[in-house]
Every structure is written in structure tokens, then in C-alpha cells.
Amino acid sequence: MHLEHLSLTDFRSYESVELALEPGATALVGPNGQGKTNLVEAVGYLATLGSHRVASDTALVRMGASQAVVRGRVVRDSRAMLVEVEVNPGKANRARVNKAAVPRPREILGILRTVLFAPEDLALVKGDPSERRRFLDEVLVARAPRLAAVRSDYDRVLKQRNALLKTAGLARRSGGADLRTLDVWDSHLSQAGAELLAARVELVEALRPLVEKAYAAVARSAELLRPTTLDYVSSLGPDVALEPNRAVLAAALLAALAEARSDELERGVTLVGPHRDELSLGINGLPARGYASHGESWSLALALRLASYDLLCADGGEPVLILDDVFAELDADRRERLASLVVPAEQVLITAAVAADVPEELAGARVDVMGGQVRRVR
């Protein structure tokens, strides 16, 4: 799989840009603030319908414009598909495939798959649990696009249930609470939550050996004796066996919600479910968050991305690799190790402030980016 052409209209700093791409490595080179990351962000948006930099679509639309359009021609198994997303902040986004509208934008998920490395990846190790939950869910959807609907359903039910908890909690304190509606939302949450939880548990099991292998490949030799751990920690508690059985997990979620109800009514928020879970990362028997060195944290973050890449490759349809200003963040040893690991990929897109930051192994095509303009150098 590779992206053959990228076209942007009013996306970020670009009023209009057309960028032809090819298999192999392509380096987008230019000083900071010139629009390199905007280009690879657009590629990632076509693949995930989200940005690795911001949570809201509003910032993706060029100032003064009402909407942005991201369009890409994707080649997979010698077949080309034209994918287009119209970004409409405050309104529903729209999508097309081969110029034909699709009912929902999420129906384009899976046509283009990407794995993106960026400086923000340190948050996978050092950041809040929400960063690691998002990582898991992004890989889930890349592997099985139907899970985007499951995650959307869970988020919708959670939002409704939290709103009901707030009103019911106030009513209970005044002596007039009717909790029968809450029972219905408990059932909905347990069903959607069990589906998401089971998928995450299966994913962590699949990722664990791949992360260990990738960490050993990218880390310094002195770190190789420090084993990594990857464990899913559920808000259901340690007594609940995390088996990918939807019915068992739904029953466990329903029981946990019933047990937590009093506290939830008091606080007005759902305290049990996949939105409260954690992906626990460890190195040498210690939690990576708070104990890992800066170098170890980088190695582990890279290992998570490499593991997800290997998993997606095993599923079929090699994803496009995006390295957004990563090499400038790495020491020489890790830079060489990472370059040697990604060079076999069908397509690698690299951003760098200076050409010298791009390892020789990845010296393929080069595009200079300056002032919102792109110019192919080789």
C-alpha cells in the first residue's frame, strides 16, 4: 500500500497544494513552521479521521476558510482508489470514495492505513492513561474499521449516562430520584463496553511479544537486558479475569456498575468501564511512567509504534510509515537502529528541518517545503 498523490484545499497553512508521491522513502525538508507536519498530518487524517496534534477539527481549516478538503489517491494491490474528506468544523464532515459520497466518513477507514511516529509519542509512556487508551483504540480501528462504530457507540452511551448521573444525583439528594432509566443505560454501557474491552484485551495479547522484540531492536545494547512488560489494567478490578468473552465481560461490567452506583451518583460520573482502564508499561520490573529514563522512554514509545506496524502488516496491507521530525529527537545510535528497521517498508514519509537529519539509508525522494510551497528536489 502506498499513497500516490495528496491534494489539499484550505487545510492548515495550505490554500492549495498538489503533492505527487511514490513508493520508498520521501523526505519533506524545510525549517520549522513551514508546513511539513501539516502535510503528513493530512495523510494521517485520511487514514484515521483524526489528527495526532489536536483533538478538534477546527484548527485544521485554514484561517478565513469555511472548510478544508483532504484528498488522496491510494494504491493497494495495483488498484488505485481516490479518497476524499471534507472537513466542516461545527457541522458533519463528508467523505467520498472514487468521487461517490459515502453515508458516513468512517466508511473510508481502512482504505489507507498509516503508522505515525512523532515527538508527541513520548506521551505514550510519560503521559496520562488516556494517551495509551487512544493508542490502543487507533490500532484497533486500523485493524478492524467496524470497531470505530463500537467506540462511537460507547462514547455516546457514556455521555448520556454521565448526564443522567448528574441529574439523578441531584434528584436523590432532594429525595425524588427515579433510577429505572439508569438501569437501561447500565445495560447499554455494559454491552458496548464489553465489545471494546474484549477487543483491547485481544490486542494487548497480540502486541506484547511484538513490543518486546521491537524494544530489543531499537534500544541501546545496555538496555537489552531490561525486559519490557505490557499489561491491560481494567477498572473492573484484579478479581475479574480479562478473557475476550463478550458475554462474561458484559456481566462483569453490569455488576461493577451496580456496585459503584452510589459513588457515581454522588460524583455525577461513570467510574467503571473501558474509559477508566489503563495500559500498563514496564521496564525491568518497574513502571515505565516515572521510572524510565528519557532514552528508555523513547525506545519504548518507538517499540509500541513498530509493534503496531508489524501487527498491521501481518493482517495484510502494509501501512504507510510516517516519521514526523523523529530523527532530530534521537541520539545517533537509536537513529541508525530505527532507520534500519523501517527502510524495508513500502512507503516511508519523513519530515526533517535539515536534510542531514535524514539517515543515509532513507535517502530517497526529497521535497523541499518553504512558506507553504512544495518543490521536488529529487
Side-chain angles (χ1 to χ4, degrees):
M1 174 189 297
H2 68 274
L3 185 65
E4 189 175 61
H5 193 92
L6 177 69
S7 174
L8 305 180
T9 303
D10 291 326
F11 183 88
R12 287 284 195 179
S13 59
Y14 292 99
E15 180 179 358
S16 178
V17 70
E18 302 290 335
L19 178 61
L21 296 165
E22 57 194 45
T26 297
L28 307 172
V29 180
N32 292 333
Q34 300 303 307
K36 305 184 304 296
T37 293
N38 295 347
L39 293 170
V40 294
E41 181 183 29
V43 176
Y45 194 91
L46 273 181
T48 66
L49 297 177
S51 164
H52 69 288
R53 301 160 76 191
V54 293
S56 169
D57 284 350
T58 302
L60 304 181
V61 178
R62 189 174 64 89
M63 187 175 297
S66 60
Q67 63 178 209
V69 177
V70 182
R71 185 183 298 111
R73 188 162 61 246
V74 182
V75 178
R76 183 171 183 174
D77 298 329
S78 301
R79 179 190 175 197
M81 296 184 72
L82 186 65
V83 187
E84 178 182 311
V85 180
E86 189 179 283
V87 184
N88 299 302
K91 296 184 292 184
N93 293 344
R94 293 187 289 185
R96 296 178 181 85
V97 177
N98 292 334
K99 299 185 178 181
V102 296
R104 292 176 297 272
R106 68 172 180 246
E107 294 192 18
I108 73 168
L109 294 172
I111 295 176
L112 175 65
R113 300 198 298 181
T114 60
V115 171
L116 185 145
F117 300 72
E120 292 86 352
D121 283 347
L122 270 183
L124 293 177
V125 179
K126 296 187 173 185
D128 294 333
S130 61
E131 299 285 348
R132 292 175 284 281
R133 289 194 296 267
R134 184 172 68 171
F135 163 75
L136 290 177
D137 291 345
E138 286 176 351
V139 179
L140 283 177
V141 172
R143 296 187 76 197
R146 70 172 186 84
L147 289 173
V150 173
R151 187 173 62 172
S152 178
D153 287 345
Y154 182 81
D155 290 343
R156 177 182 55 82
V157 171
L158 179 64
K159 182 178 179 180
Q160 294 285 349
R161 189 176 186 274
N162 282 341
L164 183 59
L165 281 171
K166 288 175 182 155
T167 58
L170 291 172
R172 187 178 73 158
R173 286 190 283 274
S174 62
D178 184 352
L179 302 180
R180 286 176 295 180
T181 305
L182 191 56
D183 291 337
V184 175
W185 285 110
D186 283 3
S187 178
H188 290 328
L189 192 78
S190 65
Q191 293 298 321
E195 185 76 16
L196 183 56
L197 178 55
R200 284 183 181 175
V201 169
E202 290 175 328
L203 175 60
V204 171
E205 289 300 312
L207 282 174
R208 186 177 291 115
L210 297 176
V211 169
E212 184 175 353
K213 175 185 174 184
Y215 183 83
V218 80
R220 287 179 179 273
S221 58
E223 296 169 2
L224 296 182
L225 298 178
R226 300 175 181 176
T228 60
T229 55
L230 192 75
D231 296 296
Y232 193 85
V233 182
S234 170
S235 56
L236 296 176
D239 295 333
V240 176
L242 293 181
E243 300 177 4
N245 184 311
R246 275 69 174 168
V248 170
L249 292 175
L253 272 168
L254 199 59
L257 289 169
E259 186 176 347
R261 176 171 289 186
S262 180
D263 288 340
E264 290 183 332
L265 287 168
E266 186 66 30
R267 296 174 60 176
V269 66
T270 302
L271 299 175
V272 178
H275 66 290
R276 307 279 294 194
D277 294 352
E278 164 72 297
L279 176 64
S280 175
L281 305 174
I283 298 176
N284 202 32
L286 294 172
R289 186 185 181 192
Y291 287 93
S293 68
H294 183 74
E296 289 172 330
S297 297
W298 255 118
S299 293
L300 187 52
L302 291 172
L304 288 168
R305 294 298 189 192
L306 288 168
S308 66
Y309 172 78
D310 288 342
L311 196 59
L312 291 172
C313 287
D315 290 341
E318 184 178 348
V320 175
L321 271 174
I322 301 174
L323 309 179
D324 182 21
D325 204 25
V326 169
F327 290 113
E329 300 286 335
L330 302 177
D331 58 46
D333 188 47
R334 286 185 178 83
R335 182 183 300 191
E336 291 177 5
R337 287 174 180 270
L338 178 59
S340 65
L341 290 170
V342 305
V343 71
E346 181 175 348
Q347 187 174 45
V348 186
L349 304 180
I350 306 156
T351 70
V354 294
D357 283 343
V358 181
E360 290 185 7
E361 299 97 312
L362 297 172
R366 174 176 161 184
V367 176
D368 281 355
V369 183
M370 180 69 70
Q373 300 296 316
V374 299
R375 181 176 64 91
R376 180 172 290 274
V377 178
R378 63 171 185 267

